[in-house]
Amino acid sequence: MAPKSAQRTPETFNTRLEAGAARPGTAARPGTARTMLRAARFAKRVAPKLAIASCLGVLAVTGCGLAHESGELGSNTEALIDMKAEPTAEWDAGQEKGFANFVYAIGLGNETKKCILLSACLNDSSVNPLKSATDEPIGDLPYADCADVALQLRGYYAVKKGLPFQYVSSINWAKPGPPGAEAQYADGVTPAGLRASTSFNSMTDMLRVIADEYHTGMYRMEGNVEGADTYTVDVNRDSVVPGTAYSDPNGHVLIVWKVDADGTVRLLQGHPPNFLDTTVLSTANAIGRPGGGFRAWRTLKFAKGATPGTGSYSRVPNASMPNWSATAQYGHNEAYYDWVRDRLATVATPPAVRFKSLAENVCRAAQTRVASVAAGAPYANGPMGPLPPNIYGASGDWENWATPGGDAKLRKLFSEAAAFARKAAAANPANLAAFGWTGTRAALGAALKQAWAETASQCGVVYRNSAGADVKLTLLDIESRLFDLSFDLYHCPEMRWGAFHSATAQTPDMATCTSSPERIQRFDEERGGRNAINREIPGPELPPTGVTVTEALKGF
């Protein structure tokens, strides 16, 4: 198919938020203006409760050291920002370290529940070390999804430090993605339009426009494509640092906020409409082409013109960028995650510690559902919308509040932890040392069981049912109903959290659900989607085996 381009003229970008204009390369997102209004309501109604309602117990934050051994952000006493001012500083190693430390601070603030919303993180001087008393507060960001957050943080830091900032505002592609997500899932992507920070009147204006026009398609550029905002790297301690983006070709983008000594990569991610949470790199994060994996930010140069306003930007080519590689991250298949850990680790990790990390990642994924389910609850009582042809690549209300991708990730994380337990149980005395364990097989089993029991006892969710009452679920409750968690935003909260009704059985918490027979019928029809682990379409009729951790630990 011939390349396709979508560009926006400068005259339109100041009105696109109000008009509900499309992101570049896509048809208008259905109900965009309506979605943004609901997002603003979400910020006031749901987000302040997340830190309390998302868990019964808060996991301890471990290993909260400096993002780097050296390099400080320093204080910031800038007055109101002049967005029209030309850059006065240059990107160099020191500024990249400063950006890394800034992202680390935002990630730590979110990890410790000091802030949930992106705007709140940026406005909180106890979280954001660049925030000064004279800064104009960042206004509501109606839509700050995954791909947006990485660029928003990059842009915020650049503007605050007087650095060049310009981003790809539209793209060309050779092959579009599915209907409604043509650009976000396109192949053969190359840059088209560009926009600089000097185009905007305020920091909030810039962050809002980025949210409107930036998307995952901007990261779906092969490693040999020139001019992209980010570029693929070889994996090492210099390339995978706080601020490095991670592109999941299934349609998600995360940003590194910390790398542990054992090679664990801690990631910050945005969700519609505007909230953040943290996770760690795992098999739930896909790898592969086009453009998947870790991506560093390209250096921008600015040359002043003869008169103000006539300067020009340039982009450093791939071959001159540190650690650039078009191929290093590909071809590893499922061994990719161990390869990354081995490349980044500076100390060995005992298997019980590694398993505890996997268990905590399961917990985080379960708690992430709370906000989307709560915000989507009103749809359970309104008209039931159609089921998208591709439940993972839809738009509008479904994209914002349905959870098929997140639920598949949750099942994948359970599966990853269960697989680790099965591998440990299958290790014979001769190869336990190779597994990183110096004790007996029985002692290893006891250590893993203890790690799982500790996590399960500390982790859970609280959701509000249709009658307005809070319902507590432990991690073991969620595990037992893993394949009954509805991803459909048109189902009641009880069904979203695994309650069900059938001709032969009904869970007790289903009694408060007022779902119609049509909704219950659709729940039955969606079973294949709830059984999918790798986003298969259609999903399997029967739940896969070997997914639950509790069952895997019985192998000891």
Side-chain angles (χ1 to χ4, degrees):
M1 182 177 295
K4 180 177 179 182
S5 176
Q7 299 229 22
R8 265 204 190 106
T9 62
E11 290 77 19
T12 65
F13 78 80
N14 284 328
T15 59
R16 73 171 70 85
L17 291 177
E18 291 76 13
R23 289 181 174 186
T26 70
R29 290 187 294 166
T32 299
R34 183 176 73 251
T35 296
M36 290 184 170
L37 176 60
R38 287 170 178 157
R41 291 171 180 165
F42 166 91
K44 294 181 174 64
R45 177 170 61 88
V46 178
K49 304 175 183 177
L50 289 183
I52 299 173
S54 65
C55 58
L56 301 175
V58 179
L59 293 172
V61 179
T62 59
C64 294
L66 291 175
H68 294 282
E69 293 180 0
S70 62
E72 299 296 330
L73 282 165
S75 61
N76 180 53
T77 57
E78 296 169 348
L80 293 178
I81 298 169
D82 180 6
M83 297 294 292
K84 303 299 181 182
E86 293 184 337
T88 57
E90 295 182 355
W91 285 103
D92 56 21
Q95 292 290 4
E96 291 293 353
K97 184 160 287 190
F99 174 61
N101 283 319
F102 163 67
V103 172
Y104 171 80
I106 300 297
L108 182 60
N110 180 255
E111 172 88 354
T112 56
K113 306 302 182 188
K114 285 186 176 180
C115 59
I116 301 296
L117 301 179
L118 174 61
S119 51
C121 293
L122 294 177
N123 285 328
D124 187 342
S125 59
S126 72
V127 173
N128 176 9
L130 295 182
K131 177 77 170 82
S132 70
T134 56
D135 282 349
E136 181 180 358
I138 302 298
D140 286 341
L141 302 178
Y143 200 94
D145 201 358
C146 60
D148 309 325
V149 170
L151 185 70
Q152 287 166 325
L153 293 178
R154 184 73 171 180
Y156 180 92
Y157 180 86
V159 171
K160 290 286 288 181
K161 290 295 184 179
L163 295 161
F165 180 66
Q166 178 198 61
Y167 66 91
V168 174
S169 58
S170 62
I171 57 176
N172 299 325
W173 61 75
K175 181 182 177 182
E182 290 90 346
Q184 292 93 323
Y185 292 92
D187 289 341
V189 176
T190 54
L194 299 170
R195 201 180 309 286
S197 57
T198 51
S199 301
F200 303 103
N201 297 318
S202 70
M203 182 75 82
T204 298
D205 181 33
M206 181 182 77
L207 299 180
R208 285 176 174 171
V209 173
I210 287 173
D212 182 51
E213 65 185 3
Y214 215 70
H215 53 78
T216 54
M218 274 70 171
Y219 299 86
R220 293 176 67 86
M221 300 191 197
E222 296 285 8
N224 58 359
V225 172
E226 296 284 359
D229 295 324
T230 57
Y231 63 95
T232 55
V233 296
D234 195 0
V235 171
N236 56 54
R237 275 275 175 175
D238 294 324
S239 63
V240 179
V241 297
T244 302
Y246 185 92
S247 175
D248 179 334
N250 282 337
H252 192 44
V253 175
L254 310 92
I255 186 168
V256 177
W257 74 271
K258 186 172 186 287
V259 180
D260 292 345
D262 67 357
T264 297
V265 181
R266 300 190 178 274
L267 300 160
L268 181 70
Q269 58 185 347
H271 302 276
N274 179 20
F275 74 93
L276 308 175
D277 70 359
T278 57
T279 185
V280 302
L281 181 70
S282 71
T283 57
N285 307 113
I287 180 62
R289 292 184 168 91
F294 293 105
R295 301 182 64 97
W297 293 97
R298 186 178 305 279
T299 300
L300 295 176
K301 301 284 188 180
F302 180 78
K304 289 185 176 293
T307 58
T310 62
S312 61
Y313 295 85
S314 62
R315 297 181 163 229
V316 174
N318 291 333
S320 298
M321 292 305 304
N323 301 294
W324 168 70
S325 174
T327 60
Q329 295 188 67
Y330 306 120
H332 303 281
N333 300 320
E334 285 298 317
Y336 173 80
Y337 310 95
D338 289 336
W339 175 76
V340 168
R341 179 178 290 274
D342 290 344
R343 299 273 290 182
L344 298 178
T346 58
V347 299
T349 308
V353 175
R354 169 69 175 138
F355 181 72
K356 184 70 178 293
S357 176
L358 295 174
E360 291 175 350
N361 211 27
V362 171
C363 175
R364 289 188 182 93
Q367 292 173 350
T368 295
R369 293 186 87 247
V370 173
S372 293
V373 172
Y379 293 91
N381 298 316
M384 186 169 64
L387 191 67
N390 182 346
I391 60 175
Y392 305 107
S395 58
D397 293 335
W398 185 275
E399 178 190 14
N400 289 335
W401 313 123
T403 57
D407 291 358
K409 176 182 178 180
L410 176 62
R411 294 187 290 271
K412 184 77 171 180
L413 292 173
F414 266 103
S415 177
E416 182 179 27
F420 186 94
R422 286 197 305 275
K423 181 179 179 181
N428 58 47
N431 59 21
L432 279 176
F435 195 72
W437 185 255
T438 57
T440 65
R441 179 178 176 277
L444 175 58
L448 298 190
K449 290 177 181 179
Q450 180 180 351
W452 179 243
E454 288 176 353
T455 304
S457 67
Q458 296 170 0
C459 177
V461 302
V462 178
Y463 78 86
R464 182 152 292 179
N465 68 13
S466 301
D470 288 342
V471 179
K472 296 180 180 180
L473 295 176
T474 69
L475 190 59
L476 296 181
D477 291 330
I478 294 171
E479 183 184 45
S480 69
R481 51 176 65 186
L482 187 60
F483 298 101
D484 290 318
L485 301 176
S486 173
F487 54 77
D488 195 326
L489 75 161
Y490 299 107
H491 285 147
C492 62
E494 293 87 343
M495 296 172 71
R496 297 294 300 273
W497 285 105
F500 67 90
H501 172 84
S502 69
T504 58
Q506 177 174 303
T507 55
D509 46 341
M510 186 63 181
T512 54
C513 176
T514 56
S515 247
S516 65
E518 292 77 15
R519 282 172 163 78
I520 292 176
Q521 178 181 347
R522 190 151 107 175
F523 177 82
D524 293 335
E525 294 169 351
E526 292 170 341
R527 178 160 296 280
R530 295 195 303 276
N531 290 339
I533 292 181
N534 296 307
R535 301 165 67 110
E536 308 95 311
I537 299 178
E541 285 297 316
L542 297 175
T545 59
V547 176
T548 63
V549 179
T550 301
E551 188 65 27
L553 288 171
K554 293 179 181 178
F556 283 99

